[in-house]
Amino acid sequence: MSSGEAAKAQRPRRPGPDGPRLRRRPTDVRESLLRAAAEVFAARGYRGAYTAEIGAAAGVAESAIFRHFGSKANLFVAAALEPFSGFIDDFATLWEARRAEGNGDELQRAFVTDLYVRLRERREIVQAMLMVADDSGSPFAEEAQAT
């Protein structure tokens, strides 16, 4: 090993603005991006959400979005559309099973209460879906408005 290679090998990684940079696992980066994207899409809608802002909120470079998801639209699908669809499917399955319990007022109240609680728990995803339905700049808006 040359003296230049030895010196290079001993150099610490260049610190970021908040201290030494730590390498994160790809799965951690992906999860951070999904959480940040859900928040930003909920707050700004699809068109108003910028990938640079999502990357910054996740604490990663904007390029990580494209490395993990390929496009902003794919990120939206993974951060909002798929979780929302999964939530609706799970809720429908649960209540289809409970429907056999009867159809009285008590069951109807339980249905509405359970739906409300679950929607509140997932409010960022629900908000993102509602925002995209009104967002004419979204590739998803035409589909949402047609339903």
Side-chain angles (χ1 to χ4, degrees), residues 50-90:
Y50 294 97
T51 54
E53 179 183 10
I54 294 168
V60 300
E62 179 182 19
S63 61
I65 292 169
F66 301 99
R67 189 170 36 258
H68 285 270
F69 299 98
S71 69
K72 178 180 168 182
N74 290 343
L75 175 60
F76 180 82
V77 168
L81 189 59
E82 287 174 355
F84 185 76
S85 179
F87 159 71
I88 294 297
D89 290 345
D90 292 347

Side-chain angles (χ1 to χ4, degrees), residues 88-145:
I88 294 297
D89 290 345
D90 292 347
F91 188 78
T93 299
L94 171 74
W95 277 94
E96 187 62 32
R98 288 199 62 189
R99 203 166 117 192
E101 295 174 15
N103 59 6
D105 289 343
E106 187 176 313
L107 187 62
Q108 290 173 9
R109 273 192 293 281
F111 176 88
V112 171
T113 300
D114 192 26
L115 179 60
Y116 176 78
V117 167
R118 290 168 185 261
L119 288 172
R120 275 187 62 98
E121 289 171 352
R122 294 158 184 83
R123 77 176 144 265
E124 285 179 345
I125 293 169
V126 173
Q127 209 170 353
M129 295 305 297
L130 292 172
M131 291 281 290
V132 80
D134 291 334
D135 191 347
S136 61
S138 161
F140 309 100
E142 286 181 24
E143 280 184 50
Q145 291 168 355

Side-chain angles (χ1 to χ4, degrees), residues 10-28:
Q10 293 176 356
R11 262 187 254 160
R13 292 187 68 185
R14 197 177 317 168
D18 299 325
R21 292 186 196 153
L22 301 175
R23 185 152 177 85
R24 292 167 41 186
R25 294 181 315 190
T27 54
D28 294 339

